[in-house]
Amino acid sequence: PQQDATVNVLGTINVAEAAVRHGVRRLVLASSAAVYGHTNRTASLDTPYLPISPYGAAKVAAERYVAMFDRAATLEALGADDPARAIPASFAATTVILSNVYGPRQRAGCGAVNIFARALLAAEPVTLYGDGRNVRDFVYVADAVRALMWAGGCLTTDGRPDLQRPKRVLVGTGVATTDEALLSLVAHEVHAQTD
């Protein structure tokens, strides 16, 4: 928990404080579906946060701090001589909640696609936890990057922030994949590459 809090909570606070101090107008926080914990239904922006890991709890706290900085900037701008100009020019933040991201250059030991592929390529046994019916939504890294770029690319042609940009966005494919099906898909791809 201390490592997750140091990196994800204190790190986020440091970035947000520096952004405000240096007049940055837009901050995008990459969050994680780990904020939801285990749920038996498709997650949405209305799904309650029930993290079950230190990482998920730290991401919840980071999201709350970023939202606090956003609200504080808006309240400060309301007190300006010209709030109509000050609010659009003030600091604003968007949180992008990413489902299970996978793709090239993923750290060893992270992510089911990566873990399965590395084990299969090394001809090592693959551990499938539970009965293999755990369901997840997997997002390719390039799609996650596009979502983050969209969230950060909030300036209109006249240079003013797009106030219609949401404060929170959930990024996933909407495709439910069981761990068992994922292992089968990864095994098929690994065998196709090694034949």
Side-chain angles (χ1 to χ4, degrees):
Q2 291 174 351
Q3 177 69 13
D4 284 306
T6 298
V7 172
N8 292 299
V9 181
L10 296 178
T12 298
I13 291 169
N14 289 337
V15 169
E17 284 180 333
V20 171
R21 186 170 50 252
H22 293 286
V24 172
R25 291 174 30 191
R26 192 66 172 178
L27 176 74
V28 177
L29 173 66
S31 190
S32 166
V35 298
Y36 297 119
H38 286 298
T39 179
N40 290 326
R41 62 186 179 105
T42 301
S44 72
L45 291 175
D46 298 325
T47 302
Y49 283 3
L50 298 169
I52 59 169
S53 68
Y55 175 74
K59 284 296 192 179
V60 170
E63 284 191 33
R64 299 297 193 245
Y65 272 106
V66 165
M68 181 272 305
F69 277 96
D70 184 281
R71 283 190 303 277
T74 300
L75 290 172
E76 184 177 326
L78 281 171
D81 291 336
D82 187 355
R85 286 179 161 241
I87 292 172
S90 70
F91 174 86
T94 296
T95 294
V96 178
I97 305 164
L98 299 166
S99 289
N100 298 274
V101 179
Y102 71 96
R105 296 186 292 280
Q106 192 166 14
R107 230 177 28 232
C110 294
V113 173
N114 184 31
I115 291 168
F116 291 168
R118 285 176 187 263
L120 290 167
L121 286 167
E124 295 173 352
V126 176
T127 302
L128 198 60
Y129 294 100
D131 61 6
R133 292 187 295 185
N134 183 46
V135 176
R136 292 186 256 192
D137 185 332
F138 294 91
V139 177
Y140 187 64
V141 66
D143 297 324
V145 168
R146 275 193 289 282
L148 293 166
M149 291 172 63
W150 169 82
C154 63
L155 298 182
T156 59
T157 55
D158 65 1
R160 294 175 55 163
D162 177 1
L163 296 178
Q164 301 305 309
R165 198 65 58 157
K167 296 294 181 189
R168 292 172 55 238
V169 179
L170 179 58
V171 176
T173 62
V175 176
T177 305
T178 65
D179 288 347
E180 185 177 53
L182 177 68
L183 177 57
S184 177
L185 290 167
V186 172
H188 180 330
E189 289 299 315
V190 166
H191 294 310
Q193 297 296 319
T194 56
D195 287 345

